[in-house]
């Protein structure tokens, strides 16, 4: 999918959920991502900041800033991925703890961390590893498959 179409698909996805009055966390649950397969570092990633801003090919500094500047609880989420269906995401309150989820290509491959109290520095590390194509982002996390 060309980059322009990819960005439009992500905007349409976010707008649809807002129109339906769905909570941001539900949108995250339905569209969480992160590839289970090893990604190449030349994959173009997009960072979705709360459905309000997207950064194509974010720098490590932009990823760090986005985590550290998450919005208010209940409306705070980040999604980083090469496609709308393959990504890693976090949500929650950076002061009380963040949730981690990922999806690999389909909603049948959607996973959530059993912990929901990750600190911002750990989330920055996981997002940075994912961004580089380093599978270490999956390590040290107990993942559970989400069944719809």
């Amino acid at each position: 999918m060309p980059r322009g179409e990819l960005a439009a698909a992500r905007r349409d996805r976010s707008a649809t959920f807002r129109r339906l009055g769905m909570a941001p966390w539900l949108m995250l649950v339905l569209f969480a991502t992160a590839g289970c397969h090893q990604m190449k570092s030349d994959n173009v990633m997009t960072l979705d900041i709360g459905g309000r801003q997207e950064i194509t090919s974010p720098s490590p500094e932009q990823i760090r800033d986005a985590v550290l500047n998450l919005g208010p609880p209940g409306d705070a989420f980040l999604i980083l991925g090469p496609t709308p269906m393959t990504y890693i995401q976090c949500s929650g309150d950076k002061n009380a703890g963040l949730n981690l989820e990922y999806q690999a290509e389909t909603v049948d491959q959607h996973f959530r961390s059993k912990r929901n109290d990750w600190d911002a520095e750990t989330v920055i590390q996981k997002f940075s590893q994912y961004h580089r194509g380093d599978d270490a982002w999956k390590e040290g996390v107990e993942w559970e498959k989400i069944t719809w």
Side-chain angles (χ1 to χ4, degrees), residues 37-48:
H37 59 287
Q38 183 167 354
M39 295 172 291
K40 297 178 183 172
S41 61
D42 60 346
N43 279 348
V44 173
M45 297 272 180
T46 300
L47 179 64
D48 180 342

Side-chain angles (χ1 to χ4, degrees), residues 70-85:
L70 276 173
D75 192 33
F77 68 90
L78 299 173
I79 300 173
L80 176 67
T83 75
M85 296 301 287

